[in-house]
Amino acid sequence: MRLLVVSNRLPVVLEQTDQGWHTRPGSGGLVTALAPVLSKWDGTWVGWPGVPHADDLDLDRTLAGAVMEQGYKLAPVPLTADEQRGFYEGFSNQIIWPLFHDLQSLCNFEPEYWTSYVTVNAKFADVVVRTARSGDFVWVHDYHLMGLAARLRQHLPLNRLGFFLHIPFPPPGIFCKLPWRGEVLEDLLRYDLVGFQTPRDLANFIDCVRTLLPGARKRRGPRGTVRLSHRDRTCVLGAFPIGIDFQEFADVAASAAVAERVKELRADMQGQRVVLGVDRLDYTKGIPYRLRAFQRALRRFPDLHRNVTLLQVVVPSRESVQEYQDLKAQIEQIVSQVNGEFTQPGWVPIHHVFRSVSREELVAYYRLADVALVTPLKDGMNLVAKEYCACQCDGDGVLILSEFAGSAVQLGRAAVVVNPYDLDRVAEAVHYAVSLTPQQRRPAMRKLRRNVRDHDVHRWVGAFLAAAEPADRPRADSDERASPAGRPRPREVTGVS
Ligand code: GDG
């Protein structure tokens, strides 16, 4: 069996220089996790190369070099600028992204976007069909490509098809606003396996199926999964919380180069305690609320003055979309307001970094930080929370975590859990976190690190692929209608103990 991974973007970055086009490897948890599996299984990654068509760009030739280095193949799906606008900026990021994060008021349900999404999903499917051989496992990633299975089924009847949703799945009250709700659900049920980040997302999906497709039948599957039968097909559903490459982060954090950088940063910070926020520029990450909460902390707890600094890294993202430009302006305004209110010679309360920093610099920030303030309004998982823990190789540090991040299911028992909308409680959490003694901080961080280590990204890949194995015969007595009373048993997600 070979593995085909399909995602919106290929795991490479194409760049144009005076010498022509060339590639450099992409970064991120998914690339790190899947690269070794792909090379072991003679795999191929299918995705959009990230740049619009250019006359002087020979995609196959440019990507050939990257293929040699990475040990697996790349199959590009070229998109026109119009397709990229309608499918990516439109349907994916102005409809599904806000809706699935419970922010339906930000949705723009433009019918053209749906048309573009259907066309582009068909284009992706065509490249997969051309690339796949009978028996290959096709693993599709994320909300941009929910509609691939229908077309793949027609042309690849013997291949197993898996899908993993990296973002949350909303409850029926929100999902039902989607004009194409029935199509999306039916499309997802055409996969053999659909994976979600948390048991809550899985339960929401089943509730939506129950609401919109009343004939669907639900049974227990192996290892906490659920089997849903609809029309002539059965789909396995499960919760597979994504992890990080713990060892890689821990090794970089323990390296001499990072230790040296942390020493420099500490000297720059002049003994202040550092509270760290790291986010892509996105309204789901709750950055304005976080900054307001920090402002409240400074107003209510004068002992924080000159003693605590918030280091907020914001990585530019989706800046062609109006909401993201507005968010950037809003963040800059609050930062300047708070700094104007509290700055004294020798102390600027918020350091705002608006750019991407290198992996090594990011790890140095994680190590430097006494407290990580991870307060998304809603998040599929949130890898920053896990990376922060992995990087505390001295066993110290405090994680303040939003109850609405998927990672709270695993880390909530040893983190300081907050409602990100509750500014006063978040302010108190910051004050509490910086007041803890090492004796109070260390046991919780030990538990957090153990949990992140034991549920790393390699285990995630293994669990998903194992669940995608052809099904055992279902037990005759486990049949039941999809109903509220018959909610799926949540997959056991080990909490820290
Ligand atoms: C989606 C879901 C889910 C950030 N700044 C820099 C940088 N980063 C890296 C972090 C982390 C990643 O970006 C962000 O991951 P998150 O999980 O926090 O968020 P999304 O990008 O929204 O990801 C999310 C995830 O998919 C995986 O399933 O957890 O819920 O929304 O890895 O390290 N990396 C570098 N410089 C930066 O400045 N090098």
Side-chain angles (χ1 to χ4, degrees):
M1 180 179 84
R2 299 185 320 166
L3 177 65
L4 258 79
V5 165
V6 193
S7 71
N8 175 45
R9 285 288 299 268
L10 281 175
V12 289
V13 180
L14 276 101
E15 285 168 333
Q16 193 174 25
T17 63
D18 295 343
Q19 283 80 48
W21 288 90
H22 65 101
T23 62
R24 62 180 164 81
S27 55
L30 197 59
V31 184
T32 322
L34 294 176
V37 191
L38 275 165
S39 38
K40 186 169 140 202
W41 285 18
D42 184 21
T44 301
W45 196 312
V46 179
W48 177 53
V51 291
H53 168 81
D55 285 337
D56 62 339
L57 172 60
D58 178 345
L59 262 182
D60 291 334
R61 243 192 71 214
T62 310
L63 294 176
V67 172
M68 294 292 289
E69 278 165 32
Q70 290 173 197
Y72 56 87
K73 299 184 201 70
L74 300 173
V77 184
L79 298 182
T80 65
D82 269 356
E83 285 170 341
Q84 204 240 333
R85 252 193 309 279
F87 151 76
Y88 178 70
E89 290 171 17
F91 191 78
S92 302
N93 289 336
Q94 290 180 54
I95 298 181
I96 298 298
W97 178 267
L99 189 73
F100 281 31
H101 287 89
D102 302 350
L103 297 164
Q104 64 263 42
S105 60
L106 295 181
C107 293
N108 174 8
F109 293 112
E110 168 61 54
E112 298 295 327
Y113 291 166
W114 168 254
T115 313
S116 179
Y117 164 82
V118 172
T119 310
V120 170
N121 269 245
K123 266 194 155 179
F124 270 81
D126 290 344
V127 175
V128 175
V129 169
R130 280 204 301 276
T131 312
R133 288 194 223 132
S134 178
D136 290 350
F137 179 66
V138 181
W139 187 359
V140 180
H141 289 265
D142 230 358
Y143 61 104
H144 322 80
L145 301 172
M146 295 181 289
L148 231 58
R151 202 171 175 97
L152 295 181
R153 282 268 162 248
Q154 284 169 14
H155 299 279
L156 301 172
L158 299 178
N159 291 66
R160 294 190 67 73
L161 310 175
F163 176 87
F164 185 77
L165 184 70
H166 289 256
I167 65 174
F169 197 91
I174 292 174
F175 181 75
C176 286
K177 308 254 161 64
L178 183 68
W180 309 278
R181 59 203 190 177
E183 287 92 327
V184 167
L185 278 192
E186 296 220 21
D187 278 350
L188 284 170
L189 290 175
R190 289 195 175 95
Y191 286 96
D192 294 299
L193 170 66
V194 176
F196 300 90
Q197 295 275 24
T198 68
R200 167 58 50 205
D201 302 310
L202 170 60
N204 284 345
F205 180 78
I206 291 174
D207 285 348
C208 289
V209 170
R210 200 197 69 239
T211 307
L212 295 168
L213 309 174
R217 294 177 67 80
K218 191 186 102 191
R219 281 171 289 148
R220 275 202 295 273
R223 292 186 293 270
T225 58
V226 171
R227 284 184 212 280
L228 255 176
S229 303
H230 179 57
R231 301 189 200 277
D232 57 339
R233 292 206 45 76
T234 296
C235 172
V236 175
L237 309 170
F240 303 91
I242 194 169
I244 60 162
D245 192 335
F246 176 91
Q247 204 49 55
E248 200 210 308
F249 273 97
D251 289 347
V252 177
S255 69
V258 165
E260 188 54 35
R261 181 67 187 131
V262 173
K263 223 162 95 187
E264 286 168 14
L265 290 166
R266 285 226 167 93
D268 291 343
M269 287 305 197
Q270 301 172 0
Q272 281 164 40
R273 245 84 53 87
V274 174
V275 176
L276 177 69
V278 176
D279 310 85
R280 259 187 326 98
L281 177 70
D282 199 287
Y283 46 77
T284 62
K285 302 294 181 184
I287 304 167
Y289 278 101
R290 185 183 312 158
L291 298 172
R292 290 268 178 237
F294 189 66
Q295 180 181 39
R296 283 193 86 72
L298 295 178
R299 284 181 181 164
R300 287 182 52 195
F301 306 108
D303 56 310
L304 298 180
H305 298 187
R306 302 192 70 90
N307 283 324
V308 175
T309 296
L310 172 62
L311 173 57
Q312 175 64 57
V313 179
V314 180
V315 184
S317 165
R318 303 178 195 171
E319 281 181 281
S320 54
V321 179
Q322 185 62 44
E323 273 79 20
Y324 289 75
Q325 294 165 15
D326 297 346
L327 176 65
K328 177 173 183 271
Q330 193 190 2
I331 291 168
E332 282 164 358
Q333 195 210 350
I334 305 174
V335 168
S336 122
Q337 226 174 51
V338 178
N339 281 344
E341 187 177 341
F342 293 102
T343 296
Q344 300 172 19
W347 177 57
V348 179
I350 304 181
H351 290 202
H352 175 216
V353 178
F354 184 71
R355 58 176 185 276
S356 178
V357 299
S358 70
R359 165 67 69 96
E360 202 173 274
E361 183 77 355
L362 180 66
V363 169
Y365 290 176
Y366 284 143
R367 269 206 69 180
L368 170 76
D370 300 279
V371 177
L373 189 51
V374 183
T375 54
L377 306 180
K378 183 96 180 173
D379 219 331
M381 179 54 57
N382 195 295
L383 299 182
V384 168
K386 295 187 171 185
E387 292 166 7
Y388 172 72
C389 298
C391 291
Q392 304 315 301
C393 43
D394 58 359
D396 207 344
V398 184
L399 174 64
I400 301 178
L401 183 58
S402 162
E403 63 186 281
F404 306 121
S407 47
V409 177
Q410 283 169 276
L411 307 180
R413 275 194 265 164
V416 179
V417 175
V418 291
N419 170 359
Y421 295 99
D422 188 341
L423 302 190
D424 272 319
R425 297 293 92 70
V426 176
E428 285 159 16
V430 169
H431 187 243
Y432 167 77
V434 296
S435 319
L436 290 171
T437 63
Q439 289 70 29
Q440 292 167 314
R441 295 190 296 256
R442 285 176 172 279
M445 183 47 70
R446 202 166 31 245
K447 290 175 187 166
L448 289 168
R449 282 173 57 78
R450 198 184 312 136
N451 192 289
V452 176
R453 185 196 65 203
D454 291 349
H455 298 87
D456 73 356
V457 73
H458 305 292
R459 179 165 165 173
W460 173 74
V461 171
F464 190 88
L465 294 180
E469 296 281 314
D472 306 320
R473 262 163 56 92
R475 279 173 36 197
D477 61 353
S478 61
D479 210 3
E480 60 185 70
R481 280 262 168 200
S483 70
R487 265 174 179 271
R489 229 167 16 122
R491 176 174 185 271
E492 191 192 331
V493 179
T494 317
V496 282
S497 51

